[in-house]
Amino acid sequence: MAPLSARLLMERGRPKTDRLGKIRSLDLSGLKLLSEHLDPKLLSRLKKLQELDLSNNQLETLPANLGLSHLRILRCANNQLGDVTALCQFPQLEELSLEGNPFLTVSDNLKVSFLLPKLRKVNGKDASSTSSQVENLNRELTSRVAAHWEKFMASLSPEEAAEKAQEDFVRSAVRDVHYGPESLSEFTQWRVRMISEELVASGGTQMHEADIPEKSLKATAVQESRARPVSSKRLDDVPLGLSPSKRVCTSPLAQAEGCPVGSGGSQPAPKLEPLHFLQCHSKNNSPQDLETQLWACAFEPAWNEGHTRATSQTVATCGGEAVCVIDCQTGIVLHKYKAPGEEFFSVAWTALTVVTQAGHKRRWSILAAAGLRGQVRLLHVRAGFCCGVIRAHKKAIATLCFSPTHETHLFTASYDKRIILWDIGVPDQDYNFQASPLLTLDTTSTPLRLCPVASCPDAYLLAGCEGGCCCWDVRLDQPQKRRVCEVEFIFSEGSEASGQRVDGLAFVNEDVIASKGSNLGTICLWSWSQTWLGRDSRSPVPVVVLARLQWSPTELAYFSLSTCPDEGTVLCGDEEGSVWIYDVRHMLTQQPPPPAAPQAPTQVQLGPLLLAGDWCSMRGLVSGKEPSPPLCSHQILKWPQPRALNQTVTKTMVNTVVANPTFTYLTALTDSNIVAIWKRH
């Protein structure tokens, strides 16, 4: 592309005129423009320009002095922009499009909102919610910088205060003042530097009333009787392609008793503080939506190399037509992806190393999401767009997971009774994925949960299915590309032992597996290594049970369990809105014989909480009774009954519970469109 000329601008400008100063709208899209082609001397002659389209070019930056002070609409989609600070030269901007710029992150979205106070729409969406998030972050950061200033100045003598403040305070604040998730660190450090410099310039006096954070509102607990949840949906009454619904519960309430006393060494029950209750999956963003079912969530892995216990506080949730990425600390919805007509059932994370057009290596967090349509969407979370769609199955996808050893290998399990292993590859220079199937695994019933074997993930895959628990050989050095189940596992002896649903499956450590669904009212812990050694030519193979944990005796299905291997914890929700937490670390080290009765949790009761609008922030410590040392310490978090639409939400089921690897945050998803987040102290 040759440099821009006045003639070209007049040809592509509107209204048609022979004077640049009269052009109000200019379309420069699709011209393969580079940043150096934008000549400020030429463009500054467009004195009345209000709309500019620079989409589908190769811009890496915007010149800082274009002189377009009256610009109201700017389109820069599908470029290579890596920074947004130059947008501050457009103070009248009302609409902005930045889609398809893969190097822009959530932090850049927040910078845009801060820099452009008149902005109404970003990428075609209302900008008010992001503006509100920026205001909240700004108040908190201002307060923290002010507190840091007082502490910093108190440590200095009067003689050195002025000189040291100029030299050291800004650097100290940027280093020590933190707030929010790692994904927002670029924005928070940027704002901390700005606030610090303003504070130094004013001698510590420039603190506006608007910058002081408001006191957080406390929820009022109102003790009300709990109504028991009832489900009227039956799986038998709906077509196979629809989402799995829960069966009618006919069992009595679980009678949770104290754990039997065993050998010492168990840890006290964790103390959990309820932080946020969000309605971020509402259909048409309606606050009255308490019906959208939320099915799956997964914490973004922390990719810091060399850190064995890195903490992640970013969680992806799915349900209805939306996938949300939430920061657990602040309750901010960092990103929301919608696919009209879809119903998402599962999400999974991976991280890919991508080489840019300029030859730079970037680490991308990629989120895979799938559901009713049988398609897998690959979402570049920080850039905020979908960069690939895999048409994986002809029927709905029930669950998916990435290989723990190969970052591009993805398993998908469908209602078509097939599990497919895909290599999604690495995106090309146009940021497109070219996925290819590697293996097809046939099942005799619908696969519900996938679980690569922890000690040999490249060799074997476990799946919990409607008809039981099965295992496949997934070694890629074998010639067969289509395989049947190699081993079926059963959890009790007898003619009815096989063919029982397994709807919960996860490894607690490299050997011990937690599974649910084979027996009502219990979660089974069993040994992979001992079970595998005991197999012979016969199938099914009885599992070697290590322990059974008491759980709800409900006949409802599809409550997914999860584990936190670093903490030796098993988690599961139930039909009453409760969260069951099992600390099995001592049991794993001792490996006792199966107890005569299932191990029972202790109970924890929370008062009603307020659910205001899209989210609310709750405070108030919740802890369980500290039991005498049993084989394992357990805890039940009762549903806290948040309030929405001036009424208490009492009828709910907790479909999924997941904690981050260090068990700092716990996220629970319900069938009433509520994401609940707790924090452990």
Side-chain angles (χ1 to χ4, degrees), residues 159-231:
E159 294 78 14
E160 62 180 354
E163 180 182 356
K164 284 287 185 180
Q166 289 287 347
E167 293 179 357
D168 297 340
F169 175 70
V170 174
R171 183 166 58 250
S172 171
V174 172
R175 183 186 66 239
D176 297 334
V177 176
H178 303 286
Y179 182 67
E182 179 65 25
S183 59
L184 299 185
S185 61
E186 182 186 348
F187 172 79
T188 56
Q189 290 180 6
W190 178 73
R191 280 297 295 135
V192 165
R193 178 176 295 278
M194 294 173 66
I195 296 168
S196 303
E197 290 173 347
E198 293 172 0
L199 203 57
V200 168
S202 66
T205 60
Q206 190 170 337
M207 293 293 294
H208 303 290
E209 183 178 351
D211 293 333
I212 305 300
E214 301 174 358
K215 294 182 179 179
S216 59
L217 298 176
K218 295 184 178 180
T220 56
V222 180
Q223 297 296 330
E224 298 180 50
S225 60
R226 298 181 65 240
R228 187 176 176 188
V230 177
S231 171

Side-chain angles (χ1 to χ4, degrees), residues 374-652:
Q375 300 175 351
V376 179
R377 287 171 168 82
L378 301 173
L379 309 178
H380 182 359
V381 173
R382 292 206 173 187
F385 69 93
C386 178
C387 50
V389 177
I390 305 172
R391 289 168 175 78
H393 298 268
K394 293 182 179 180
K395 292 188 177 181
I397 295 175
T399 187
L400 49 74
C401 74
F402 278 97
S403 164
T405 53
H406 297 282
E407 61 188 20
T408 65
H409 286 189
L410 174 68
F411 290 97
T412 61
S414 170
Y415 285 87
D416 62 12
K417 299 181 182 179
R418 289 188 179 92
I419 300 169
I420 300 179
L421 172 59
W422 302 85
D423 186 347
I424 66 171
V426 177
D428 57 25
Q429 290 188 346
D430 294 324
Y431 311 106
N432 296 317
F433 284 89
Q434 296 294 329
S436 58
L438 301 176
L439 285 177
T440 298
L441 311 175
D442 291 320
T443 68
T444 56
S445 61
T446 302
L448 304 173
R449 306 287 178 247
L450 297 179
C451 190
V453 174
S455 59
C456 47
D458 294 333
Y460 296 103
L461 175 74
L462 285 174
C465 305
E466 284 285 356
C469 182
C470 299
C471 177
W472 287 264
D473 185 337
V474 294
R475 289 174 291 183
L476 295 177
D477 57 359
Q478 304 298 311
Q480 300 88 354
K481 299 305 178 185
R482 186 157 190 166
R483 304 173 188 178
V484 297
C485 169
E486 182 164 316
V487 179
E488 180 185 355
F489 298 108
I490 56 174
F491 296 85
S492 59
E493 301 291 344
S495 59
E496 298 182 358
S498 61
Q500 296 179 339
R501 178 192 303 113
V502 174
D503 57 10
L505 194 67
F507 273 85
V508 187
N509 60 20
E510 285 205 349
D511 181 57
V512 178
I513 306 168
S515 62
K516 180 187 71 66
S518 55
N519 293 291
L520 290 181
T522 62
I523 294 173
C524 180
L525 300 184
W526 52 286
S527 168
W528 161 261
S529 61
Q530 296 180 49
T531 301
W532 193 249
L533 288 174
R535 78 190 190 285
D536 50 28
S537 58
R538 295 180 298 112
S539 185
V541 176
V543 302
V544 177
V545 177
L546 303 178
R548 288 188 173 90
L549 310 177
Q550 180 179 328
W551 182 67
S552 168
T554 178
E555 292 184 354
L556 299 180
Y558 313 117
F559 296 101
S560 177
L561 67 77
S562 68
T563 60
C564 192
D566 289 348
E567 299 293 318
T569 304
V570 179
L571 306 162
C572 194
D574 72 7
E575 82 288 358
E576 295 289 343
S578 298
V579 175
W580 299 61
I581 305 172
Y582 307 84
D583 183 348
V584 298
R585 282 175 289 186
H586 188 66
M587 183 180 295
L588 296 177
T589 57
Q590 296 296 321
Q591 292 194 357
Q599 303 287 289
T602 59
Q603 294 194 49
V604 177
Q605 178 71 51
L606 298 182
L609 303 175
L610 179 65
L611 181 63
D614 285 344
W615 68 279
C616 65
S617 181
M618 311 309 307
R619 295 290 184 267
L621 195 63
V622 181
S623 63
K625 303 174 186 177
E626 184 172 337
S628 53
L631 294 176
C632 59
S633 63
H634 303 163
Q635 182 178 3
I636 298 178
L637 291 181
K638 289 292 185 180
W639 177 243
Q641 300 186 27
R643 293 185 62 82
L645 305 176
N646 296 319
Q647 61 183 352
T648 303
V649 181
T650 58
K651 296 183 179 181
T652 195

